[in-house]
Amino acid sequence: MTVEGTWAAPGRVNLIGEHTDYNEGFVMPFALPHTARVKAASRQDRLLRLSSAQFDGEPVELSLDDLTPGSVSGWAAYPAGVAWALERAGHRLAGADLSLDSDVPTGAGLSSSAALEVVTALALSDLNGLGLPPESLARLSQQAENDFVGMPCGILDQMASASCEAGHVLFLDTRDLSRRQVPFDMAAEGLRLLVVDTRVKHSHADGEYATRRAECETGAATLGVPFLRDIPFAELSSALSRLPDPTIRRRVRHVVTEDHRVERVVDLLDAGRAREIGPILTEGHASLRDDFEISCPELDLVVSTAVEAGALGARMTGGGFGGSAIVLVDEDLVESTTKAITTAFATAGYRTPRTFEVVPSPGARRSGA
């Protein structure tokens, strides 16, 4: 194909605000330096021709007229779903050749699927002269994952990939997608943020994600509010007393306290006190472990070992049941903390984790002609 352009969209790390997005709450992600990339060219026959550097075999060729939920499986469902969502929104596409590549770790809770969706949405928007803004790219990408792929995720991942900026975390209100870029210069305070990919993904993750979402909806309905976002932190005790089911109580407590944790982190970053967010991260992990019950032994081991090794804070990030944790640490403790985590995993008989430093990076963009 004759390439008309190259586009890139990043994976993400969520600093704080886990499982709050589908409760219309607050989140604070930032974009990774790792990206999904696509080289693309238009075609006029209403065909979508997809190839991926990560998967062997012949390109997948699909008619835009035949796309329906469930009609495409595997990796190709994500870009196909985006084309379907664009068409469903009234944007008639000409067809395209898309050659995809990615260095976003898969199965690590770092939103490799959202990066793939958003880069496809941006490329198709540009090729067809649509000029869609980041929030539209994100909503269409989320619709693709929800309704075409069948994963009931919130919009955190797609908005992070579409609209984050380098050197900042994104303070996002998922109710109306209002957002603010908050400076997050770790190096200025002698800090580093590590991602520890546990390299495990427990098989029940997707089903449990849907269960947690349903439990949150049950809690909101029982309390008579549209979403758990509508329970003020100051009224949490009263709200919990009206929930007879102990499981639903735990889920509600996590979401309401997590929204409050996001607000606390924003206040500290605005005040230039990044070092003080560490304990809030660790507090968030305890809530995800005990109240939301989506951690796992490997993630818990990362957090406990990192804190014992002197980290300022640590927590799981992403959907849970495996994937990655983040560790906020002084720059002179990076090596010793990494070694402590690796040793702890070896002692426990776990696979060697993959640990790397990350910095807030740019969101989706056209990266070449």
Side-chain angles (χ1 to χ4, degrees):
M1 72 178 183
T2 302
V3 175
E4 294 181 38
T6 303
W7 291 261
R12 67 93 188 95
V13 156
N14 195 26
L15 184 65
I16 194 76
E18 216 67 75
H19 288 266
T20 50
D21 57 346
Y22 53 79
N23 290 290
E24 293 203 349
F26 304 119
V27 296
M28 261 196 113
F30 66 83
L32 291 169
H34 309 74
T35 61
R37 299 169 298 281
V38 61
K39 295 180 179 179
S42 297
R43 51 191 302 155
Q44 302 305 313
D45 54 6
R46 296 274 295 162
L47 289 180
L48 197 63
R49 194 169 188 267
L50 306 170
S51 61
S52 170
Q54 279 65 56
F55 296 92
D56 296 329
E58 293 297 313
V60 177
E61 196 166 285
L62 305 164
S63 170
L64 290 169
D65 296 313
D66 297 335
L67 294 178
T68 57
S71 63
V72 185
S73 60
W75 69 269
Y78 295 94
V82 169
W84 169 83
L86 282 161
E87 289 265 321
R88 194 179 184 199
H91 305 295
R92 185 170 175 82
L93 305 178
D97 290 330
L98 303 178
S99 178
L100 296 146
D101 195 2
S102 179
D103 60 4
V104 183
T106 58
L110 302 175
S111 300
S112 58
S113 60
L116 182 57
E117 292 156 358
V118 170
V119 77
T120 301
L122 180 57
L124 291 176
S125 173
D126 285 357
L127 288 176
N128 290 274
L130 304 179
L132 296 175
E135 57 269 22
S136 296
L137 299 175
R139 285 200 184 281
L140 290 164
S141 295
Q142 181 199 17
Q143 184 182 22
E145 188 148 350
N146 288 175
D147 299 336
F148 195 89
V149 178
M151 174 63 179
C153 65
I155 201 167
L156 183 162
D157 298 347
Q158 291 83 5
M159 276 297 291
S161 187
S163 62
C164 278
E165 294 181 4
H168 295 76
V169 288
L170 178 70
F171 177 35
L172 173 68
D173 183 338
T174 64
R175 168 155 287 172
D176 58 8
L177 300 191
S178 59
R179 57 197 184 271
R180 178 163 66 89
Q181 305 287 344
V182 180
F184 189 39
D185 186 357
M186 293 175 287
E189 296 200 41
L191 301 175
R192 297 291 185 269
L193 193 74
L194 308 179
V195 170
V196 183
D197 176 6
T198 64
R199 301 175 67 197
V200 299
K201 186 69 172 177
H202 294 281
S203 59
H204 57 299
D206 289 352
E208 292 287 350
Y209 187 104
T211 298
R212 294 301 182 279
R213 182 164 185 163
E215 289 167 340
C216 290
E217 292 168 355
T218 296
T222 303
L223 294 169
V225 295
F227 292 91
L228 293 182
R229 149 73 175 276
D230 298 298
I231 304 296
F233 178 74
E235 298 175 17
L236 177 58
S237 295
S238 173
L240 295 178
S241 70
R242 290 183 279 137
L243 294 169
D245 185 322
T247 297
I248 301 300
R249 276 202 304 274
R250 290 194 298 273
R251 306 300 187 251
V252 170
R253 182 166 55 209
H254 165 71
V255 173
V256 177
T257 58
E258 187 79 347
D259 271 335
H260 187 54
R261 279 186 283 274
V262 175
E263 294 177 305
R264 291 161 61 196
V265 168
V266 171
D267 288 344
L268 286 170
L269 293 184
D270 281 342
R273 295 157 59 189
R275 302 184 67 83
E276 296 176 42
I277 73 172
I280 303 175
L281 304 184
T282 308
E283 177 187 313
H285 182 79
S287 181
L288 289 161
R289 181 192 65 212
D290 301 335
D291 280 344
F292 224 62
E293 298 178 280
I294 59 168
S295 190
C296 65
E298 296 90 346
L299 288 167
D300 294 341
L301 184 60
V302 173
V303 172
S304 61
T305 303
V307 172
E308 289 169 9
L312 298 174
R315 74 186 238 350
M316 59 152 282
T317 188
F321 306 103
S324 297
I326 56 174
V327 178
L328 185 67
V329 64
D330 283 294
E331 58 186 356
D332 59 352
L333 292 180
V334 168
E335 185 175 347
S336 59
T337 302
T338 301
K339 183 177 180 180
I341 293 169
T342 302
T343 300
F345 267 56
T347 301
Y350 299 149
R351 293 178 66 188
T352 302
R354 178 188 178 207
T355 302
F356 52 96
E357 294 184 34
V358 291
V359 294
S361 299
R365 66 271 186 194
R366 185 165 184 161
S367 57

